[in-house]
Amino acid sequence: MWNKCLNTFSLILLTLLLSAPASANDEPVVYSSGAELFGIPFNDLSKEKFEEHLAKIGLEPYPSYREGIANYSLGASGILGIKELTVIYNRYQYVERATMSGVVESAELRAKLGHLLEGKYGPPSIGFVRDGYGRARWMLSDGTEIELRNTTFDVSVSYIDHVPRRASASGRIDVEALLRRSQ
């Protein structure tokens, strides 16, 4: 008797679940598998391509006296309140790290920043984002990482390429050059 009631209940529950209309929330959420900065993929991003893209959107570097580092102003109001971009290039002219930072006093803008990153990249791999605020890291499958520091007015978002492209040898041996070298 008990088994018959349990089977009937299971059948009714299964029928209700299958006949329930699917809502928009039932669709799987797809997050980005690679970091994008200003609309271009961040993985293996060359200095030439990055600077060309930044020039198209009206950003020009201001003088930096350290080799391999470029600084940009993101305007008087910035991007969600963040007003500075610092880019570090490796010796092969590929981006290793790009950090946007600034003092953001608007709680609304700070919350939007956290929500934007969480909406694009999903829940963080390390750390937390609550109501848009937090300290978090997203480790992405393309070898890039995004780090958010948004617990005080001093806010930063860092894009990191752990294995930026490097110049590689051609694989060919120049026998004549070796012969000249040995003489």
Side-chain angles (χ1 to χ4, degrees):
M1 172 82 171
W2 175 250
N3 284 340
K4 187 176 182 179
C5 288
L6 188 58
N7 286 340
T8 305
F9 178 75
S10 297
L11 185 60
I12 292 171
L13 184 61
L14 182 62
T15 305
L16 287 173
L17 289 174
L18 291 176
S19 64
S23 68
N25 294 336
D26 290 341
E27 295 178 18
V29 179
V30 178
Y31 298 111
S32 181
S33 61
E36 287 184 8
L37 182 58
F38 300 118
I40 58 174
F42 188 72
N43 189 25
D44 292 335
L45 181 57
S46 71
K47 179 180 181 180
E48 180 182 347
K49 182 177 177 182
F50 189 53
E51 287 182 345
E52 182 181 297
H53 183 74
L54 292 178
K56 283 181 187 175
I57 60 175
L59 297 178
E60 297 285 331
Y62 51 84
S64 174
Y65 300 101
R66 297 187 301 179
E67 191 168 335
I69 296 179
N71 296 306
Y72 295 85
S73 171
L74 299 178
S77 59
I79 297 172
L80 294 176
I82 296 175
K83 298 178 182 176
E84 186 175 314
L85 170 66
T86 302
V87 183
I88 299 173
Y89 299 100
N90 68 8
R91 68 182 198 187
Y92 304 107
Q93 303 302 306
Y94 285 88
V95 179
E96 281 186 355
R97 181 184 201 97
T99 301
M100 294 185 293
S101 59
V103 176
V104 182
E105 294 181 11
S106 168
E108 182 181 329
L109 290 177
R110 287 178 47 221
K112 281 183 181 179
L113 178 64
H115 289 303
L116 176 75
L117 289 171
E118 201 169 29
K120 181 161 181 82
Y121 301 108
S125 307
I126 300 171
F128 67 93
V129 176
R130 288 190 196 102
D131 299 325
Y133 305 103
R135 289 180 62 118
R137 284 185 178 188
W138 288 265
M139 311 272 208
L140 304 171
S141 63
D142 68 346
T144 58
E145 178 180 318
I146 300 171
E147 181 179 4
L148 169 69
R149 293 176 184 237
N150 186 12
T151 55
T152 64
F153 292 136
D154 191 15
V155 175
S156 70
V157 179
S158 294
Y159 289 75
I160 305 157
D161 188 349
H162 286 289
V163 188
R165 187 172 286 175
R166 303 180 192 295
S168 62
S170 67
R172 291 185 274 159
I173 298 173
D174 188 350
V175 177
E176 290 179 16
L178 289 174
L179 182 63
R180 278 180 273 158
R181 190 187 236 176
S182 65
Q183 293 178 353

